[in-house]
């Protein structure tokens, strides 16, 4: 572009978190037990068996955190609600004390002119529902989730304008039912597809409820999108990239936006006998729900090559990050295998750094779905060091700054982008990696011993973002 467009004047410069990763207070004020509260207690599941009992104590320190946001000029804060604080056992009587925490948080944000972006579900389903009917494995969750969502819609009507239905359905289902590294710790492909279908029905149901209730605001799911690249122009590798995009991206996004699964992949699942079961009314329900935006969590792109059906590379083993690094080969025989992209750099956690990828992502979404985009996560996980009471995270500034530029280019290309929430606001508990992998603008003195002082220290990136917000991204 010779002339780049400006960011819209109401662009939501934000940042994000998730309940389990920041709140702590795991059993306070009547909160019920979630599957994560239990999972982390199984030895060997997380780095040094770290749990989120205290996390970064946001539950008790939210005022201090919001104050820092306000001083930075943050326009939006994305957080998730812990279902177990509202309904300790998934349904029944509302736990007023638990609900009050979020009422207070939302009021505090609004008082500081920060737009709340509320995620209904960021992976912490009540253990009671897991025990009763297998949680996401049963259609009974549709009514319980809808009831939970309705309670929040009623509570925050007129106050919360941006709602995320499900965070990264593709990740929590893959980790929970394919790879066995998140609760409920299974490796059952057929169940994985059933669970996804049920989650799609849940997503459609709550979006419809939101619209039927004539809520003043917007709702959409957040998808973890890694655009798929072909290793090179070998037609077989091009086909592999098409396969990967269908199997790893369209398989969710098409359902959200079109109410249909991509044909080639669905047919393949049918041949394999693992396609999800369609009951009467499912197709209509999926088609009837229209998200107002698509939330995108973008960290990296993914490069693939042809993978033969006979003796092809399979799922492979997870590395310690819980997500595959780029160097370990993995794939789906007959469709694609993941390979190293020789053109991009990698983080110390072996994630690819590819700012152009976020532009590609937004271009593809805009072309295929014509839907507004809210970037609900983007960020760099690194080992941060405190030196003389400061954190010089120039590597994070570099990463974020390049992504902000790429977003501006995508806007200039014609994408409608509502806002940008970095991951994360404060440092927080990485599900499987303890506190060694940090993402925040605000450093928190906490580690795997859980004896940290919990002191907050703004990093260099905090001040960098403050400046970006002040200038509405014009000089980034
Ligand atoms: C996203 C999740 O998948 O990535 C976050 O929505 C998570 O909850 C983030 O923390 C970073 O992942 P990780 O594994 O580096 O902590």
């Amino acid at each position: 572009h010779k002339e780049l467009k400006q960011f819209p004047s109401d662009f939501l410069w934000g940042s994000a978190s998730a309940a389990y990763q920041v709140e702590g207070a795991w059993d306070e004020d009547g909160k019920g037990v979630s599957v994560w509260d239990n999972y982390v207690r199984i030895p060997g599941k997380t780095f040094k068996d770290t749990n989120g009992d205290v996390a970064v104590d946001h539950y008790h320190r939210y005022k201090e955190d919001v104050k820092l946001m306000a001083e930075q000029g943050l326009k939006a804060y994305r957080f998730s609600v812990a279902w177990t604080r509202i309904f300790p056992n998934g349904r029944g009587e509302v736990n007023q004390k638990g609900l009050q925490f979020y009422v207070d948080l939302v009021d505090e944000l609004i008082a500081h002119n920060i737009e709340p972006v509320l995620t209904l579900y960021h992976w912490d389903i009540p253990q009671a529902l897991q025990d009763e009917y297998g949680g996401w494995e049963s259609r009974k969750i549709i009514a319980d989730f809808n009831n939970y969502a309705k309670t929040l819609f009623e509570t925050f009507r007129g106050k919360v304008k941006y709602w995320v239905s499900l965070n990264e359905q593709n990740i929590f289902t893959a980790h929970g039912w394919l790879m066995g590294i998140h609760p409920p710790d299974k490796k059952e492909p057929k169940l994985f597809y059933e669970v996804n279908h049920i989650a799609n029905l849940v997503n459609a149901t709550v979006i419809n409820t939101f619209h039927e209730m004539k809520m003043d605001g917007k709702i959409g799911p957040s998808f973890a999108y890694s655009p798929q690249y072909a290793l090179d122009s070998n037609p077989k590798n091009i086909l592999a990239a098409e396969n990967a995009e269908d199997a790893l991206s369209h398989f969710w996004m098409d359902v959200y936006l079109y109410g249909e699964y991509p044909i080639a992949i669905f047919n393949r699942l049918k041949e394999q006998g693992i396609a999800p079961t369609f009951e009467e009314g499912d197709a209509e329900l999926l088609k009837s729900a229209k998200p107002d935006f698509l939330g995108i969590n973008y960290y990296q792109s993914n490069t693939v090559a042809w993978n033969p059906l006979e003796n092809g590379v399979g799922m492979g083993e997870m590395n310690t990050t819980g997500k595959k690094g780029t160097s370990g080969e993995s794939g789906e025989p007959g469709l694609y295998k993941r390979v190293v992209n020789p053109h991009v750099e990698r983080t110390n956690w072996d994630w690819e750094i590819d700012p152009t990828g976020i532009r590609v992502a937004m271009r593809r979404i805009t072309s295929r779905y014509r839907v507004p985009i809210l970037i609900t996560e983007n960020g760099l996980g690194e080992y941060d060091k405190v030196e003389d009471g400061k954190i010089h995270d120039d590597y994070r500034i570099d990463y974020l700054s390049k992504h902000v530029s790429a977003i501006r280019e995508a806007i200039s290309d014609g994408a409608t982008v509502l806002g940008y929430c970095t991951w994360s606001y404060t440092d927080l508990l990485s599900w499987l990696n303890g506190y060694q992998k940090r993402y925040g603008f605000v450093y928190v003195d906490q580690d795997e011993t859980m004896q940290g002082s919990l002191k907050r220290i703004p990093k260099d990136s905090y001040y960098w973002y403050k400046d970006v917000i002040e200038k509405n991204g014009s000089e980034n």
Side-chain angles (χ1 to χ4, degrees), residues 268-280:
R268 189 171 188 268
L269 296 179
K270 275 207 278 195
E271 277 171 26
Q272 295 175 322
I274 55 175
T277 322
F278 265 76
E279 289 184 8
E280 213 188 309

Side-chain angles (χ1 to χ4, degrees), residues 21 122 167-168 299 323 377 423 430-431 433 437 439:
Q21 299 180 272
H122 205 124
N167 179 68
E168 296 191 351
Y299 290 88
K323 291 170 191 169
E377 286 179 31
W423 187 263
S430 168
W431 302 93
N433 309 292
K437 192 180 187 188
Y439 281 90

Side-chain angles (χ1 to χ4, degrees), residues 12-294:
L12 296 172
W13 296 101
S15 195
S17 72
Y20 188 72
Q21 299 180 272
V22 294
E23 287 178 3
W26 78 286
D27 62 351
E28 271 181 56
D29 294 337
K31 180 182 168 294
V33 173
S34 82
V35 291
W36 273 95
D37 290 320
N38 282 340
Y39 189 69
V40 293
R41 286 175 215 287
I42 306 171
K45 293 298 180 191
T46 64
F47 178 69
K48 294 193 177 172
D49 292 338
T50 314
N51 63 47
D53 290 5
V54 179
V56 295
D57 200 33
H58 179 65
Y59 192 77
H60 299 116
R61 292 166 198 253
Y62 72 93
K63 284 197 177 169
E64 184 186 347
D65 291 341
V66 173
K67 190 164 173 273
L68 282 168
M69 292 175 204
E71 284 164 7
Q72 192 187 27
L74 208 72
K75 306 270 189 209
Y77 176 55
R78 172 178 177 240
F79 61 95
S80 80
V81 171
W83 188 344
T84 48
R85 290 201 194 278
I86 315 302
F87 295 106
N89 294 311
R91 73 171 94 81
E93 285 278 298
V94 172
N95 173 37
Q96 290 301 339
K97 276 192 171 172
L99 184 58
Q100 193 60 41
F101 168 69
Y102 298 105
V103 170
D104 293 344
L105 172 63
V106 165
D107 286 348
E108 192 74 9
L109 290 167
I110 293 174
H112 288 89
N113 296 315
I114 300 166
E115 194 74 54
V117 179
L118 191 157
T119 304
L120 291 170
Y121 186 73
H122 205 124
W123 308 356
D124 46 358
I125 187 172
Q127 183 67 47
L129 301 184
Q130 189 66 39
D131 295 341
E132 188 184 326
Y133 51 68
W136 289 100
E137 294 168 23
S138 162
R139 285 173 181 244
K140 288 187 182 155
I141 196 180
I142 302 172
D144 284 338
F145 195 106
N146 195 44
N147 172 60
Y148 157 65
K150 248 173 135 165
T151 307
L152 295 178
F153 294 159
E154 276 156 10
T155 307
F156 295 110
R157 184 190 282 283
K159 284 190 174 179
V160 175
K161 304 273 167 61
Y162 294 88
W163 297 77
V164 172
S165 48
L166 303 180
N167 179 68
E168 296 191 351
Q169 182 187 326
N170 54 329
I171 300 294
F172 85 76
T173 57
H175 286 190
W177 284 270
L178 268 189
M179 302 168 186
I181 52 170
H182 278 191
D185 205 344
K186 296 187 180 177
K187 291 183 180 175
E188 295 180 41
K190 175 145 181 57
L191 200 49
F192 165 76
Y193 289 108
E194 289 296 347
V195 160
N196 268 292
H197 189 61
I198 293 167
N200 286 328
L201 298 171
V202 166
N203 182 62
T205 303
V206 296
I207 289 176
N208 282 345
T209 300
F210 185 87
H211 290 143
E212 280 155 20
M213 286 174 68
K214 305 217 175 318
M215 294 287 293
D216 170 21
K218 297 179 196 299
I219 190 167
S222 277
F223 182 69
Y225 185 30
S226 289
Q228 307 293 325
Y229 298 166
L231 177 62
D232 55 31
S233 56
N234 179 335
K236 289 220 158 197
N237 292 338
I238 300 292
L239 183 61
E242 296 279 328
N243 287 337
E245 193 71 359
D246 266 355
L248 299 173
S249 316
H250 301 151
F251 192 78
W252 286 271
M253 293 198 289
D254 279 12
V255 180
Y256 296 149
L257 277 312
Y258 298 148
E260 281 182 32
Y261 291 97
I263 293 168
I265 295 300
F266 199 80
N267 284 340
R268 189 171 188 268
L269 296 179
K270 275 207 278 195
E271 277 171 26
Q272 295 175 322
I274 55 175
T277 322
F278 265 76
E279 289 184 8
E280 213 188 309
D282 286 4
E284 292 73 16
L285 173 58
L286 295 180
K287 278 211 168 286
S288 66
K290 296 277 173 248
D292 302 303
F293 64 84
L294 182 62

